[in-house]
Amino acid sequence: MNIRQILTFASIMVCALLSGAQTLTSTYVELADSADRYIRAERWQDAERVIVKALRHEPANRSNYLLWSNLGIVRERQENYPGALEAYGIGLASAPRSTMLLTNRARTYLATGQLAAARADLDSALDVDSTLQWPRKMRGVIRAALGDLDGADADLDIYTARWGEDAAVSETRGDIRVARGDADGAIEAYREAYRLDGDPATLGRLLLSAYACGRLEEEQQALADGIRKHPRDATLYLLRAMLNKARYQTQAMEKDLKTARELGIDPELYRRITGTAMK
């Protein structure tokens, strides 16, 4: 759980006082405090129950948007995405410039694959505060996914200048280079991302880019190291099979293809790389 997404009981009380909300009743305070404890213990159902009770106890409290934000997160943890979006929407109705609500709703939109909606919320959050870190990075990632390559580069440049290296940023830069047909740039960007996160999926993207532009032989050491470090990654065996094919090592190729299939290689990737359907 990312605690930055959730306002603690103390934070809610301070925000309520600073916003000039009416005097908080002891029941409201007790319920908010209980919700805080349940959230820390990751008892999501109990947290939802007491947050809803607090909201019903003081429905006109001007600080309720803070509880609506927490309720959205609690519902998201339970994979109740429609309920989470409903909570964020109610909170934003009374606090439309809350960057916390906008950012949290963007996370839920991302979790449900609604990229355009997530982008809109991140736009709004950054309009309020252009120094927000996660919204800046994720808007760059989403822009790339939606095909706005220039906008993505602009966001990622700002992110890197302010916060430095980041694996997701480097990986997205690789995706942008692929979309622009810059295989060399993509390989270097993925290499940087893999250095930062060590994720075999990132290495796979690097090596697939190398294969696509005829440079897999140059990356044979990275491939060998990857298989040693990630012996259960099917994509790496598939690519080594192609390297063995280019070397006319048929037996080694067949062995690697068999291993890739046994490890659950994506059938479409298998077909695209080998030119044959996976049996």
Side-chain angles (χ1 to χ4, degrees), residues 42-151:
E42 299 188 3
R43 293 172 57 179
W44 307 122
Q45 290 183 341
D46 288 325
E48 178 173 1
R49 174 176 53 80
V50 295
I51 290 172
V52 169
K53 194 171 182 179
L55 290 166
R56 288 174 176 169
H57 181 71
E58 292 190 17
N61 193 311
R62 283 181 290 174
S63 65
N64 277 347
Y65 75 93
L66 304 169
L67 288 180
W68 284 114
S69 181
N70 280 4
L71 180 60
I73 294 168
V74 166
R75 286 176 171 174
E76 184 181 351
R77 293 299 186 276
Q78 299 174 83
E79 298 185 358
N80 177 9
Y81 300 115
L85 292 173
E86 178 188 41
Y88 295 137
I90 294 172
L92 284 164
S94 61
R97 291 175 59 81
S98 167
T99 57
M100 174 172 287
L101 280 163
L102 289 165
T103 300
N104 286 344
R105 189 169 70 173
R107 292 179 192 273
T108 302
Y109 279 137
L110 280 173
T112 54
Q114 300 180 67
L115 298 187
R119 157 78 188 273
D121 275 353
L122 295 177
D123 285 346
S124 297
L126 288 166
D127 284 344
V128 175
D129 183 356
S130 64
T131 68
L132 294 171
Q133 183 174 0
W134 186 85
R136 178 67 66 183
K137 175 171 71 174
M138 289 312 302
R139 190 173 72 172
V141 172
I142 292 170
R143 276 178 154 174
L146 294 175
D148 178 11
L149 304 185
D150 290 340

